[in-house]
């Protein structure tokens, strides 16, 4: 089967999350991805979170379908080798601090002159321009500056982290969108590539819904609201008699009426003031109290069974164990079985999005450090004796 990005060559100079996650998605849909890592240490993600035989199991997800080549980009020979790789690439992905590639002789101007068709994704904390461009920026900082951290958690308490590196992942997704748009533009306009500037904080800010319009029109600063969905009612987490919580979203007009009928509150279902969302928001405390009274008399499973039968959106709060055993995840191939280097079985996330005719694939497992260095360098004109000398010097 021909995948959508088959024939597209990607050079990944990034590390950790944002750049590599973007390249992972491209690889899943057919792109050839050559990942450049520092010799000896490799991408720091290899040592993040839980390790198996010294390597993160996260690595098995983030780097599948990629080839690993080691180059010490601080050394001139490695910089020249990188230019050789980039000369015939379609896409370059990097997420270093602005100015880093320029210091290595790998600026956009140099690379564009070398390869006019090149598309260059640059992910950084604050973008390639502006007064903050030179500041170091990680995902948590982008999440804070983008407005998300302020809204996370309970009112009056310390703002909390979302739980995953969402700023990096959102930036990766925006980067993939940019790459696909640039590929389309290149296809239509005679072969020229372009630079894509993705800032972590802007990727988060792009998700902030009506945050700024509400501030500009009403001088309203949105505040954290815990498990509720401010301005949209009812939508909250409701405690059940087994101590678990059911998430219930009864915020469509007809859904709300069905929900009130289901919990035995026909009076609220027919209340003229509650027929539309703006009225329900004014009375959200009364509505939440009615729902909470009903859920408090039932187990979470009983609550969900009743609401699903009535076609009311409801669900439980999944942890990793719930996901791993859920039949819907399995039916939609969102839990893929693989193995680590030593043959240890591992369950990995499936591929998203799901294309009907050309779905993404896992064609190879995550590489060991430098696994493809010899093959890739040989293909680009570096013979065995030169590679041996470069190894002696720590260039590869």
């Amino acid at each position: 089967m021909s995948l959508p990005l088959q024939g597209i060559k990607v050079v990944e100079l990034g590390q950790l999350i944002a750049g590599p996650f973007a390249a992972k998605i491209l690889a899943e849909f057919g792109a050839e991805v050559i990942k450049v890592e520092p010799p000896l240490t490799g991408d720091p993600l290899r040592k993040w979170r839980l390790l198996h035989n010294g390597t993160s199991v996260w690595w098995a997800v983030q780097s599948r379908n990629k080839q690993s080549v080691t180059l010490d980009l601080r050394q001139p020979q490695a910089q020249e080798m990188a230019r050789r790789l980039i000369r015939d690439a379609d896409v370059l992905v990097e997420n270093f601090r602005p100015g880093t590639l320029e210091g290595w002789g790998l600026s956009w101007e140099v690379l564009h002159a070398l390869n006019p068709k090149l598309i260059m994704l640059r992910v950084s904390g604050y973008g390639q321009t502006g007064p903050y461009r030179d500041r170091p920026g990680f995902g948590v900082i982008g999440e804070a500056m983008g407005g998300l951290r302020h809204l996370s958690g309970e009112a009056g308490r310390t703002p909390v982290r979302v739980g995953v590196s969402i700023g990096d992942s959102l930036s990766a997704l925006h980067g993939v969108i940019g790459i696909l748009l640039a590929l389309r533009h290149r296809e239509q306009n005679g072969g020229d590539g372009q630079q894509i500037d993705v800032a972590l904080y802007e990727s988060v800010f792009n998700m902030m819904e009506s945050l700024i319009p509400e501030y500009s029109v009403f001088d309203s600063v949105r505040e954290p609201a815990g498990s509720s969905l401010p301005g949209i009612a009812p939508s909250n987490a409701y405690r059940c008699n087994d101590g678990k919580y059911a998430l219930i979203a009864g915020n469509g007009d007809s859904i709300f009426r069905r929900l009130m009928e289901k919990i035995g509150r026909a009076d609220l279902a027919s209340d003229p003031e509650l027929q539309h969302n703006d009225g329900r928001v004014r009375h959200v405390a009364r509505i939440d109290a009615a729902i909470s009274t009903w859920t408090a008399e039932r187990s979470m499973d009983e609550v969900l069974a009743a609401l699903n039968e009535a076609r009311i959106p409801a669900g439980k709060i999944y942890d990793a164990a719930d996901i791993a055993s859920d039949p819907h995840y399995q039916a939609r191939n969102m839990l893929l079985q693989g193995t680590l280097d030593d043959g240890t079985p591992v369950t990995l996330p499936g591929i998203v999005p799901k294309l009907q005719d050309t779905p993404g694939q896992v064609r190879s497992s995550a590489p060991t450090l430098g696994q493809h260095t010899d093959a890739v360098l040989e293909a680009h004109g570096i013979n065995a004796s030169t590679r041996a000398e470069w190894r002696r010097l720590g260039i590869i």
Side-chain angles (χ1 to χ4, degrees):
M1 182 185 300
S2 177
L3 295 175
L5 296 180
Q6 188 171 323
I8 298 296
K9 180 178 177 180
V10 179
V11 174
E12 178 197 308
L13 300 186
Q15 58 184 13
L16 294 176
I17 305 175
F21 187 53
K24 176 190 86 82
I25 296 172
L26 301 176
E28 288 170 344
F29 288 92
E32 175 193 357
V33 175
I34 297 174
K35 178 176 179 61
V36 176
E37 302 184 69
L40 301 180
T41 58
D43 187 327
L45 189 78
R46 290 180 179 271
K47 298 296 183 182
W48 274 28
R49 292 197 55 77
L50 301 186
L51 309 185
H52 175 80
N53 289 343
T55 300
S56 170
V57 292
W58 190 352
W59 182 255
V61 183
Q62 191 82 311
S63 297
R64 60 193 182 190
N65 295 324
K66 298 181 184 180
Q67 302 174 63
S68 171
V69 171
T70 55
L71 288 174
D72 182 356
L73 291 173
R74 298 169 299 179
Q75 302 200 44
Q77 298 96 323
Q79 294 163 7
E80 176 56 31
M81 188 66 238
R83 285 189 285 271
R84 288 198 191 194
L85 295 176
I86 294 165
R87 185 181 293 121
D88 62 351
D90 296 284
V91 178
L92 173 64
V93 174
E94 69 98 0
N95 63 328
F96 294 108
R97 192 188 306 185
T100 300
L101 289 193
E102 285 75 4
W104 292 338
L106 300 171
S107 68
W108 165 250
E109 291 75 19
V110 168
L111 298 180
H112 182 63
L114 180 71
N115 179 2
K117 73 175 184 177
L118 182 70
I119 293 163
M120 186 174 183
L121 170 62
R122 315 195 72 176
V123 183
S124 61
Y126 303 95
Q128 302 296 314
T129 61
Y132 300 166
R133 71 179 292 270
D134 294 323
R135 294 183 181 180
F138 263 32
V140 292
I141 309 303
E143 291 156 24
M145 186 175 175
L148 179 61
R149 180 64 71 99
H150 180 72
L151 299 181
S152 301
E154 302 283 346
R157 303 186 67 178
T158 303
V160 299
R161 183 173 180 267
V162 170
V164 294
S165 302
I166 192 70
D168 291 291
S169 301
L170 286 174
S171 296
L173 293 173
H174 281 88
V176 170
I177 293 169
I179 288 169
L180 297 179
L181 293 172
L183 285 170
R184 177 62 173 158
H185 170 79
R186 194 182 73 176
E187 178 184 281
Q188 291 180 311
N189 292 279
D192 275 350
Q194 60 184 298
Q195 190 174 195
I196 302 163
D197 182 359
V198 172
L200 293 174
Y201 85 94
E202 290 171 354
S203 298
V204 174
F205 180 61
N206 199 30
M207 302 291 103
M208 287 296 100
E209 302 171 347
S210 58
L211 187 78
I212 289 300
E214 289 171 359
Y215 177 72
S216 69
V217 174
F218 304 107
D219 200 28
S220 172
V221 175
R222 191 186 298 187
E223 298 294 341
S227 62
S228 69
L229 187 56
I232 303 172
S235 184
N236 213 329
Y238 302 90
R239 187 179 177 88
C240 305
N241 68 6
D242 53 5
K244 298 178 181 179
Y245 287 85
L247 298 174
I248 302 174
N251 43 54
D253 293 347
S254 62
I255 296 173
F256 171 74
R257 288 190 290 273
R258 289 201 305 276
L259 174 59
M260 293 300 102
E261 294 284 353
K262 191 67 182 179
I263 69 171
R265 293 300 303 268
D267 58 319
L268 297 179
S270 60
D271 188 330
E273 291 192 50
L274 306 181
Q275 296 308 299
H276 303 293
N277 183 69
D278 54 346
R280 293 194 295 272
V281 168
R282 290 192 294 270
H283 298 275
V284 66
R286 181 158 62 107
I287 296 169
D288 277 346
I291 299 171
S292 295
T293 298
W294 182 77
T295 61
E297 298 171 348
R298 294 162 175 81
S299 70
M300 184 194 68
D301 288 341
E302 291 171 335
V303 167
L304 297 184
L307 297 184
N308 286 333
E309 183 183 16
R311 296 178 294 112
I312 295 162
K316 67 180 181 180
I317 299 171
Y318 279 58
D319 61 17
D322 293 319
I323 291 171
S325 62
D326 189 279
H328 194 78
Y329 269 86
Q330 296 176 20
R332 288 183 55 79
N333 295 318
M334 286 309 300
L335 299 170
L336 304 181
Q337 301 309 310
T339 58
L340 301 176
D341 290 340
D342 64 351
T344 299
V346 61
T347 302
L348 302 172
I351 297 173
V352 180
K354 297 187 181 302
L355 276 65
Q356 176 180 328
D357 296 327
T358 55
Q361 297 176 358
V362 178
R363 302 181 307 283
S364 62
S365 58
T368 57
L369 180 60
Q371 179 178 337
H372 304 93
T373 299
D374 284 318
V376 171
L377 267 58
E378 178 77 31
H380 286 80
I382 307 301
N383 61 35
S385 61
T386 300
R387 297 197 303 272
E389 177 65 9
W390 282 8
R391 281 196 171 87
R392 186 184 70 81
L393 296 173
I395 295 168
I396 61 174

